[in-house]
Amino acid sequence: MPPKKTAPISQRVATRHRTRRAPAEQLVVPSPPKKPKQYASSTDDSDIEVDICDESQAAASSLLQEQQQQSDDDFDEQKSGPAPCPAGPAELTGSLHSFAAVTAYLRSRLLDTFSTAAASMEMRPKLQEVYSNLLCLLSNTAETPGANHSFLLLGARGTGKSLVMQRVLTELEAKYNLHEGRPTVGIVRLTGLAHTEDVVAFREIARQLCKTFNCKYSKAASLAENLTFLREVLRELGRGHKVVVFVLDEFDLFAKKAKQTTLYNLLDAMQSADMQAAVVGLSCRHDVMELLEKRVRSRFSHRKQLIPEMEEKEFDSAADSPRGVLAAMLTVPDSTGNAKSHGPVQQWNAAIAQILTADVVRQQLKLMMNQGQGRPRDLADVAMEVMLAMDSQPGVPQQQAVLAGIASVTHLQHQQADMVGSCSVLELFILVSIYRIKRRGHDSANFEMVHDEYRKLLDQGGSGDRRSKAAALRAFERLIALSLVSYVDDRAEEKGGLREFHAARVNLVLQEIEAGLKLQKSCPSLLKNALSNEAVRNAFAHG
């Protein structure tokens, strides 16, 4: 009898995608149809597997044969020598024959994070350290069967989390995906802004897995079918030593769900030794672990890395400072001996180095950093403004273009000062009270603490203009509505109840509050003196 022909792998996986049911502990689904008579007397798991899909053993066998063939191909390729490497940044800059080409190259770097120009930008030392740790961890997952990892990348917005993650993924794909169309490392990207619903999340996971590993995707698959499909695909890929890296941007939004089904099923699937996968979460909340359910927290490996912000004491450092980051964004890698492109590239780099060492530029960058706007994202906005200025004034960059870029970014401070200046006197008292609590070392305070500080401030100044507690609460709530003050817990407004006991923090720096007080014509001298006190300035400098 001739051997039985089996369908392609993508078709067989898609068949299980449509027919297999989810495990009972994950999701409650309707009871399966009654078994055929020949299986009525059998109760073991193997018979259930044959009843649901009688081709599963053939699928696994065929997949292992294909993976063995791919391993042989990899071995032959290693014997014959490495594949030709793609052109690096230095080679690509050999085509930059004019200043217009240089600005186009830098504009591509700033706008397209997946471009070769973006990959040529040097990262600051602290980001490089995070990059090395994360790359080592994910490489261990790719090379060691059963070494599944979960990892959290934490840091304020605009500090470079996405940049580090993209660099790591690019390096993994270049290192392990040697054959086009047959990847060893697959990437699945989710964001809490769009995929917090379980049905949407697992449908997107199934779509990306099918696209990466050439499986047939079914749009009509239910949540139960997608859950089963996820586990089946991870198991089949694990047998072939293939890895899936799940990247969850805005991780805290997934953790805010009442039932964290998405996180639970991803982390629970990684507990199996026959799967190779990793979950990396990106979040700006340092307390995101406290939001996880107990069942999710117990399956998380508790590995996390904090990306520190640039500090004022490191302003004069060569690389880990606003000047160093801005120089990395605006500097083009030197070409390798091409005389035609050597001139424009070197002239551009020399002009950028001279501009960033000028005293007036250093002062503006330091002021920008003191105002809380020295993050890499803010510096990227400055660099983009310089590129826009080059459209009207092509050629070597000028110092005025950099200063204009800094001024356009710091314009937001004036908008915040205008909002402070539009507040009533009572609202200004509440705002200053919150800031006085902050300078004493308390990052947050509830309304009761703020009201006590407000009363102490009036007692010290001998002011008789004392408002009721209810009026002070309304002023406190209006500051929250204006986003000058915000609750520490984003869900505080949804919870309702006694909102005066929810912790809140001020979203302004000292310079913004001072500028706003100057714009308020009715501002009493008591408030101005409270902020102009030298002790307040010293506390702010050390805070």
Side-chain angles (χ1 to χ4, degrees), residues 73-85 178-179:
D73 295 342
D74 295 342
F75 180 74
D76 294 339
E77 180 178 344
Q78 293 176 1
K79 290 176 62 179
S80 60
C85 297
L178 303 177
H179 300 277

Side-chain angles (χ1 to χ4, degrees), residues 134 138 150-153 165 245-249 278-282:
L134 184 55
L138 296 183
S150 50
F151 189 85
L152 271 180
L153 198 56
M165 192 72 248
V245 179
F246 296 92
V247 180
L248 276 61
D249 200 4
V279 175
V280 181
L282 281 68

Side-chain angles (χ1 to χ4, degrees), residues 306-381:
L306 176 64
I307 296 182
E309 299 185 51
M310 291 180 289
E311 300 180 1
E312 186 177 357
K313 62 183 180 181
E314 299 176 345
F315 181 79
D316 294 324
S317 64
D320 221 339
S321 65
R323 284 193 305 132
V325 173
L326 190 57
M329 293 177 179
L330 294 175
T331 301
V332 181
D334 288 335
S335 58
T336 56
N338 191 324
K340 293 183 179 180
S341 66
H342 201 61
V345 171
Q346 273 204 340
Q347 291 180 36
W348 178 281
N349 292 342
I352 291 296
Q354 183 179 3
I355 290 173
L356 295 181
T357 54
D359 291 338
V360 61
V361 175
R362 294 181 70 257
Q363 291 175 2
Q364 291 299 317
L365 286 175
K366 191 168 186 178
L367 179 61
M368 181 178 173
M369 188 176 185
N370 291 338
Q371 295 173 357
Q373 295 177 318
R375 301 169 300 177
R377 177 180 296 177
D378 301 323
L379 298 172
D381 293 338

Side-chain angles (χ1 to χ4, degrees), residues 468-523:
S468 65
K469 189 174 182 178
L473 178 59
R474 288 194 297 269
F476 180 77
E477 292 176 344
R478 186 169 185 275
L479 292 175
I480 293 177
L482 293 174
S483 297
L484 301 178
V485 177
S486 62
Y487 287 116
V488 175
D489 186 358
D490 297 336
R491 298 173 293 180
E493 296 184 13
E494 301 176 2
K495 293 179 180 179
L498 300 177
R499 288 182 292 180
E500 57 268 27
F501 294 101
H502 290 300
R505 56 170 172 257
V506 62
N507 298 327
L508 303 170
V509 296
L510 177 62
Q511 290 84 354
E512 293 172 337
I513 299 178
E514 286 183 332
L517 294 181
K518 293 178 182 178
L519 295 176
Q520 171 59 269
K521 298 180 180 180
S522 303
C523 178

